[in-house]
Amino acid sequence: MNLPPPVSLDSLYLLADQELEARIQAAKRELGGRCLILGHHYQRQEVYRFADLTGDSLKLARLASQRTEAEYIVFCGVHFMAEVADILSAPRQTVILPDLAAGCSMADMADLPAVQQAWRTLGDWLDCERQITPLTYVNSTADLKAFCGLHGGAVCTSSNAEKLLQWAFSQREKVLFFPDQHLGRNSGYRLGIPLEEMVLWQPSLPNGGLSRAQVEKARIILWEGFCSVHTLFQPVHVQQFRQRHPGIQVMVHPECTLEVCQLADAQGSTEQIQAAVRAAPAGSQWAIGTELNLVNRLKSEMPEKEIHFLCPTLCLCATMFRIDLAHLCWVLENLLQDHVINRIHVPPREAEAARLALERMLNVV
Ligand code: 13P
Ligand code: SF4
């Protein structure tokens, strides 16, 4: 039998948005229950509206583990999220990321050889397997999750990092937290750990730039990673809003720096930010420190509230933005012809070890 040729991405870029939207609708209708589209809150609105289910990283991970009926999961988000969906979904399900270049620059700041090197170096000073729990932020590659799975550690997300830190301390006296130093520091600080007991591991320096005495005294060893979007929010932005809008509530994502988080009224994951603003009364004033697409969506969804973006410059996640109508249409129309493109598949042994670390998280929260 002659199959029709695969739909090319280039041909779709020649179409107007309305036509792409109509074709996505039609493809979705035809695929029906065979295909589930998951969308992260940072997706641009024109893509987000096609998601069957939306959420933060934790919610989307849970959904991927629960929705076992769909044959395909099309993940509108970034690479590590699609990897988690592949690890937690049923073996017969196929996970697709519409643009393989949709990565996360923070996740790229820690890689397995560098973490293994840190573990070996720390092992010269401590008994790592007895004294240090490795805890990885979900914004990390699958092999780092597998590393945590194999070394008694776990995964955390922005909505549960404090709980997972408590869990990690219930296992061993110290934590190696990667890749986001800010989420680790903010969460440790909220648990009452003094700043001098949280040290920074700089992978480019010999011994991470630390002495044996510093490591022995530390409770949390923070990897030197950060989100280039959330570190754009500055304390002065919070101060400006407080001056100009007395009574305004400032809520930020915990990937922001400690200084910004300390000045804010609240911090939370994208789902928690959305829930807090939705629950607030009409007329309330908000300044939100997280990615622009989510803040703009909250603004248009709730015109009866005064919602501001905390930063005067564009804090936009360029990799989340890579998923556009053309890419979504491309993968869906190819599925209609049984062409699976941009599949995310974590090798089975790595997936098994990473699942251990993810399940430890899901059992704690
Ligand atoms: P959430 O889990 O809060 O959605 O965060 C994901 C993320 O990448 C934030 O930058
Ligand atoms: Fe990664 Fe930051 Fe983008 Fe989140 S906002 S996906 S942490 S680069």
Side-chain angles (χ1 to χ4, degrees), residues 7-24 325-326 329 333:
V7 179
S8 89
L9 183 59
D10 285 353
S11 66
L12 295 172
Y13 270 119
L14 298 173
L15 303 180
D17 280 2
Q18 290 93 323
E19 196 169 342
L20 285 170
E21 283 167 1
R23 283 175 64 157
I24 292 170
L325 289 173
C329 189
E333 290 195 349

Side-chain angles (χ1 to χ4, degrees), residues 38-44 47 55-57 60-61 73-86 95-108 137-142 145 227 229-230 255 270 291 316-324 342-344 346:
L38 297 180
H40 185 263
H41 293 311
Y42 292 164
Q43 289 294 290
R44 44 166 100 199
V47 168
D56 62 6
S57 307
L60 293 171
I73 298 176
V74 172
F75 208 114
C76 296
V78 287
H79 194 273
F80 72 82
M81 296 178 177
E83 279 188 333
V84 170
D86 181 54
V95 176
I96 288 163
L97 181 66
D99 185 345
L100 289 181
C104 164
S105 54
M106 177 210 283
D108 295 340
Y137 186 25
V138 70
N139 296 38
S140 57
T141 48
K145 294 182 177 81
C227 168
V229 178
H230 287 89
E255 287 173 14
T270 55
E291 210 263 356
L316 188 128
C317 179
T319 47
M320 284 275 181
F321 203 65
R322 293 193 72 100
I323 312 291
D324 56 13
N342 292 2
R343 179 174 185 197
I344 300 297
V346 179

Side-chain angles (χ1 to χ4, degrees), residues 62 66 115 162 174 186-187 193 195 198 201-202 232 313 322 326 331 345 357 365:
R62 276 198 201 286
Q66 291 162 349
V115 170
E162 281 165 60
K174 297 179 196 290
N186 285 321
S187 308
I193 296 173
L195 286 178
M198 295 190 259
W201 183 272
Q202 297 166 270
L232 291 173
T313 52
R322 293 193 72 100
V331 296
H345 185 54
V365 295

Side-chain angles (χ1 to χ4, degrees), residues 285-301:
Q285 295 180 299
W286 291 85
I288 307 291
T290 195
E291 210 263 356
L292 184 64
N293 280 288
L294 171 56
V295 182
N296 281 345
R297 183 173 312 115
L298 295 176
K299 268 189 208 178
S300 53
E301 184 193 314

